Amino acid sequence: MNKRNILVTNALPYANGPIHLGHLLGYIQADIWVRFQRMQGNNCAYVCADDAHGTGIMLSAEKAGVSPEDFIDAVNLEHQRDFTDFLVDFDIYHSTHSEENKTFSSLIYERCKANGHINQRSITQLYDPEKGLFLSDRFIKGQCPKCKAEDQYGDNCEVCSSTYNATDLINPRSTISGATPIEKESTHFFFSLPDFSDFLKQWTRSGTLPNQVANKLAEWLDGGLQEWDISRDAPYFGFEIPGEPGKYFYVWLDAPIGYMASFKKLCESRTDLSFEDYWDADSKNELWHFIGKDIINFHALFWPAMLKTSGFRTPTGISVNGFLTVNGQKMSKSRGTFIMAETYKQFLNPEYLRYYFAGKLGSNPDDLDLNLEDFVQRVNSDVVGKVVNIASRCAGFINKGFAGKLSAEISEPELIRECQQAASEIAELYEKREFAKAIRLIMSLADKANQYIAEKTPWVIAKENPQSTEVQDICSTGLNLFRLLVIYLKPVLPGLAKQVEEFLNVAALQWQDVESLLSDHQINPFKPLMTRVESSKVDAMVEASKDSLNTENSSAENTTTKVDSPLANDPISEEIEFPDFAKVDLRIAKIIRAEQVEGADKLLKITLDLGLNAAGEQQIRTVFSGIKSAYEPEQLKGMYTVLVANLKPRKMKFGLSEGMILAAGEGKDIYLLEPHAGAQAGLRIT
């Protein structure tokens, strides 16, 4: 069989935060497929990079007080650490902020322009007059122009699903500064996607995409494609468009080009790889993209069109995964189910997650639910109870009674043959990315292997004669079955496979090794391979993942601070010096009015009396506080509480919040901090 030459890419994670379990779903799926291809003997290069451009990164770097370059470099190291921890084995992990990517982005743009597919025109956008920048849709919120729902982004409404222009929002505000945006004109550059309608209608039905995805794209194609805005105005962190000062490539133009750039960088260090062999228009090698379903339009419309006109090849296949839910719901910080990769690794073996994902993944972009109870049960039952259990039941008899030497005889050749013959069906399922079906077949073989050992009861025979050849034959057969199962599971559990290779005293297992058996073979002493998942550690992981801020869709930040319970076991925050603490002006305040806030799930509008100032004037403050779940407005009138009086006022969509009141707890168990009876409004806490 001829070896295949395959280049696999993963969607580029945005360099603006840590990797979480939702991200890992797509990377683990791709890594399993890559490892399977390599076990088959195919040449498979696997590349990825950080998506490192855009306004979001520019603002995050500014907030952190560092340059964008330093910011993305630090995130890149964190991402590489997380992927390594979860055994995602890239050949290279690069960055879109690279010379290679700048070169290819400019080249593809110039070729698109030379072929008549770049247009320019003046457009009107919303502009933040305080921050001095144009606002993309994700940095604008307001009231939906269709259903009037509050707090909707600038491109679509999550309540009624309407789409619209940001300029149509009612009472828009910048989520960056809180300012009311103004309309401002600017010249933008557009990629003429409608020019490629006929090509894309054929290409999307060529078998490159899952049918579900092709059907979705057909809706867009039949509805008529629109030109794609590929430029952004300064200030912007990215690549400047050649010959257009102050104009930058939109992040989604250079992001997929990062696949080419990363592979080019890899080719510089590998003599067995040629960039042209994989990216030339007439290349016979394979190119596979693994992405999430939220970025289909970029990869299956814009990207192939740009590649086509610029003289490069289009993808062989695009594998699309769905979203991850936890316990049947969206990942949630308040519930502790928005779990970061680093947090998971502190409590649990990453291979548990790899196995669980594999056991539920298919080739369609269906959402996958991580049910934590099912997770514990399935890993313990399958990996520990069925597979590892075979080795632990058989190895002791071989090590003790026969000095670690396997028998030359197989006592159940038909069962061995059945397990070997399953290799082609399992391989086909891996190839088609039907991992869940492959796992079910492998576990059915594990059931038969365990049934065989249970029926033969070598422990009973060994009681009479520990050195019985029958015991040696039974346990040697069991370990050969175990070895076959580990070969089949190696793409999913590479760490376990490496331990097994050491235990069985064999070279790195390849797929073709299913054709042979270990006969009259010396093994090493058995060591525990994988322990059971402890529910207490899962619970601890969830607790460690709970958000410690009580916010109203993140817009209540700077309005209420939560003092955590001493029972929460949260780590103490970073120490500060006394002069820092002394800057905080804590005052006793009397609540003179509390009101519901229309459109807010968690907020109450609190009016506070701080007593008289030095000039004898009454000091009244208004704050928005996320305590609605625990208090009715009428309960609060007349209560005294503690106010952070010198916090800079923050403009919110509900009004101006002039401080922060202190509270402790979560949900219905939120408690305002009250001073001792007799304390008067306006007193400073010292």
Side-chain angles (χ1 to χ4, degrees), residues 4-299:
R4 295 157 60 188
N5 297 313
I6 311 169
L7 171 57
V8 175
T9 76
N10 253 137
L12 312 185
Y14 199 45
N16 200 20
I19 300 297
H20 56 67
L21 300 196
H23 292 132
L24 284 171
L25 178 61
Y27 299 102
I28 288 173
Q29 183 183 35
D31 183 78
I32 290 171
W33 198 73
V34 168
R35 288 180 182 275
F36 165 72
Q37 298 297 344
R38 290 171 175 169
M39 285 185 71
Q40 289 276 296
N42 295 322
N43 299 316
C44 192
Y46 185 24
V47 306
C48 195
D50 270 346
D51 181 4
H53 288 154
T55 304
I57 286 172
M58 179 181 72
L59 295 173
S60 292
E62 180 183 305
K63 185 176 180 181
V66 299
S67 69
E69 290 82 3
D70 287 343
F71 183 85
I72 62 174
D73 286 348
V75 172
N76 187 277
L77 292 175
E78 292 175 1
H79 286 181
Q80 291 195 58
R81 174 205 64 202
D82 291 339
F83 288 130
T84 299
D85 284 345
F86 283 81
L87 305 173
V88 178
D89 189 23
F90 298 119
D91 287 297
I92 186 173
Y93 192 82
H94 204 30
S95 169
T96 58
H97 192 65
S98 67
E99 285 302 317
E100 296 86 5
N101 204 34
K102 184 176 182 180
T103 298
F104 280 118
S105 297
S106 297
L107 174 65
I108 288 176
Y109 169 78
E110 294 288 8
R111 288 182 178 180
C112 290
K113 183 178 179 181
N115 291 333
H117 301 302
I118 300 294
N119 302 318
Q120 68 180 77
R121 65 176 181 270
S122 181
I123 65 170
T124 299
Q125 291 177 282
L126 292 182
Y127 182 83
D128 187 327
E130 290 188 15
K131 196 65 181 174
L133 53 77
F134 286 97
L135 297 168
S136 63
D137 294 337
R138 64 187 287 247
F139 293 117
I140 306 167
K141 279 192 172 184
Q143 194 176 0
C144 171
K146 305 292 177 65
C147 74
K148 306 302 186 288
E150 298 278 2
D151 211 35
Q152 300 305 308
Y153 283 106
D155 55 353
N156 69 86
C157 177
E158 294 181 348
V159 177
C160 70
S161 301
S162 297
T163 58
Y164 42 74
N165 293 321
T167 51
D168 296 330
L169 279 175
I170 301 169
N171 297 323
R173 74 181 190 285
S174 165
T175 62
I176 300 171
S177 69
T180 300
I182 61 173
E183 293 188 4
K184 190 173 181 180
E185 283 195 353
S186 173
T187 299
H188 272 232
F189 296 81
F190 296 82
F191 177 65
S192 187
L193 189 63
D195 296 350
F196 299 89
S197 293
D198 291 341
F199 161 70
L200 289 170
K201 286 179 180 179
Q202 179 275 325
W203 185 82
T204 55
R205 291 295 188 184
S206 65
T208 302
L209 300 162
N211 286 333
Q212 288 183 23
V213 175
N215 292 338
K216 180 62 181 178
L217 292 171
E219 296 176 14
W220 296 337
L221 288 163
D222 293 342
L225 299 174
Q226 303 297 315
E227 288 191 324
W228 179 37
D229 189 343
I230 62 167
S231 68
R232 294 294 184 268
D233 293 279
Y236 192 79
F237 182 59
F239 295 139
E240 201 166 42
I241 298 175
E244 305 294 341
K247 304 292 181 180
Y248 291 79
F249 287 129
Y250 172 44
V251 60
W252 263 110
L253 181 130
D254 66 63
I257 296 172
Y259 302 143
M260 304 173 74
S262 299
F263 185 65
K264 179 67 173 178
K265 183 71 173 179
L266 178 63
C267 289
E268 293 174 2
S269 62
R270 293 265 296 268
T271 58
D272 60 323
L273 293 174
S274 163
F275 180 86
E276 290 72 23
D277 287 348
Y278 285 82
W279 286 98
D280 278 358
D282 59 354
S283 172
K284 297 296 187 285
N285 292 335
E286 298 177 44
L287 171 63
W288 283 82
H289 298 317
F290 282 73
I291 64 168
K293 67 180 182 181
D294 56 326
I295 53 176
I296 290 170
N297 56 335
F298 295 108
H299 284 81

Side-chain angles (χ1 to χ4, degrees), residues 375-390:
F375 167 77
V376 173
Q377 189 277 332
R378 189 175 297 203
V379 173
N380 288 344
S381 172
D382 290 2
V383 183
V384 181
K386 293 181 181 180
V387 178
V388 172
N389 185 53
I390 298 172

Side-chain angles (χ1 to χ4, degrees), residues 305-326:
M306 288 195 303
L307 289 169
K308 179 72 173 176
T309 192
S310 57
F312 294 105
R313 58 91 45 80
T314 54
T316 307
I318 299 180
S319 179
V320 183
N321 65 270
F323 299 132
L324 180 71
T325 58
V326 181

Side-chain angles (χ1 to χ4, degrees), residues 10 13 17-30 79 81-83 85-88 292 321-327 329-333 335-358 361 367-372 375 537-538 541-542 544-545:
N10 253 137
I19 300 297
H20 56 67
L21 300 196
H23 292 132
L24 284 171
L25 178 61
Y27 299 102
I28 288 173
Q29 183 183 35
H79 286 181
R81 174 205 64 202
D82 291 339
F83 288 130
D85 284 345
F86 283 81
L87 305 173
V88 178
N321 65 270
F323 299 132
L324 180 71
T325 58
V326 181
N327 294 336
Q329 297 178 291
K330 284 185 177 182
M331 295 169 63
S332 163
K333 291 181 180 179
R335 289 190 296 269
T337 57
F338 198 95
I339 302 166
M340 300 303 170
E342 184 180 16
T343 306
Y344 176 101
K345 178 66 165 50
Q346 291 173 12
F347 296 94
L348 298 169
N349 183 340
E351 289 201 290
Y352 296 158
L353 189 71
R354 288 178 65 99
Y355 179 78
Y356 191 80
F357 280 171
L361 274 167
D367 293 347
L368 187 153
D369 184 53
L370 170 59
N371 181 288
L372 294 175
F375 167 77
K537 290 188 176 180
V538 174
M541 174 185 71
V542 170
S545 300

